Structure formats: structure tokens, C-alpha cells
Amino acid sequence: MAALTTGRPQGVAAGRTIASACGIGFFPWAPGTAASAVALLVGAALLRYGGHGVLALAAVIAAVGGVLAIRAARANDDPGWVVIDEVAGQWITLLGLAHLSLIGVAAAFALFRLLDITKPGPIGWADRVNSAFGIMGDDVIAGAAGAVILWALLLWKPMLFG
């Protein structure tokens, strides 16, 4: 019963678990890329078996849950172990695909990572906002930009992604 009344440490631990995408953020090499790769596989499965609506809902839940988890974990200045933002951003990028293909999934991964690392324009602006919204915001914007780029490429060359 005492554990129920001391919610603060449990809230921090739960926040760290979610913010680190169930521990992926503690991967010793390139945790953001590792989280994006795992998110890519899960997102592809969600898209394949649930469709765009299920993937979009999962991305929204990850983004909103990420803000709450980052606040609960008391994470500041975007520590490397916070990777729930990469999960949400990668899922948003996948929404730009009309259907799954190996080339499309690879392009979604490469585009999202490129935008997340280089942080052009509004992605960089969001990255400089020192809050949970900023930590999540740059990846959400990068995901949206990646989805738009994929969508535009599909309109330009429909057969590009098989």
C-alpha cells in the first residue's frame, strides 16, 4: 500500500520507460537511430495490418504520451536516452507511403533520419525550444516533412516505390 502513496518515484520511472521507448534509448550506440529502426519495423507492421488510420493513431498517442512521459521523467535539454520522439516521428514519416514496399520503407527511414539529424528550418527551431514540446516537436515536424516529401515523390513518380 505504501507504494501507491509514493507516486512520484513511480511516475519518474514510468516516464523514463516510455520516454526511452521501453529502454531502447539506453542502447549504447546511436540510440536515436536504434529507436527509429525499431519504430520502422513496428510502424510497417501497423501500416500493413491496421492501415493508415491505426498508424496515425499510434503516432498521435506516441507524440502526446511522449510529452507527458518526458515531463514525468523530468528530462531536460533532450537527453540521448529520450527516443519516444524518434518513434513518433518515424511513424509519421511512414504515413507518406501509399503502400508498403522495401524501397518505400527504406526511403522513409533515410528521410526521417536525414531531417532529424540536419534539422533544417522549422525542425531546428522546434529543437531549440527547451521543453517537452520542443523535444517532441522537432521529430514530429521532421516526420511530417518526411511524409510530405514521400507523398510528393509518389505523386511525381508513382512507380518509384514499387
Side-chain angles (χ1 to χ4, degrees), residues 37-146:
V38 171
L40 187 75
L41 297 174
V42 173
L46 289 171
L47 185 58
R48 166 73 173 92
Y49 297 108
H52 285 84
V54 169
L55 181 59
L57 178 61
V60 168
I61 291 169
V64 172
V67 169
L68 298 174
I70 291 164
R71 284 182 174 174
R74 300 184 190 135
N76 297 318
D77 299 328
D78 202 0
W81 58 267
V82 172
V83 294
I84 191 66
D85 50 338
E86 273 82 8
V87 172
Q90 187 65 70
W91 287 351
I92 293 167
T93 303
L94 283 169
L95 290 170
L97 296 175
H99 63 278
L100 287 178
S101 70
L102 183 58
I103 293 171
V105 170
F109 180 78
L111 260 174
F112 174 69
R113 292 308 299 148
L114 177 69
L115 292 167
D116 185 33
I117 292 167
T118 61
K119 300 188 185 318
I123 300 166
W125 170 82
D127 185 57
R128 291 185 294 276
V129 175
N130 191 17
S131 70
F133 286 105
I135 292 171
M136 288 301 300
D138 71 312
D139 293 277
V140 167
I141 296 168

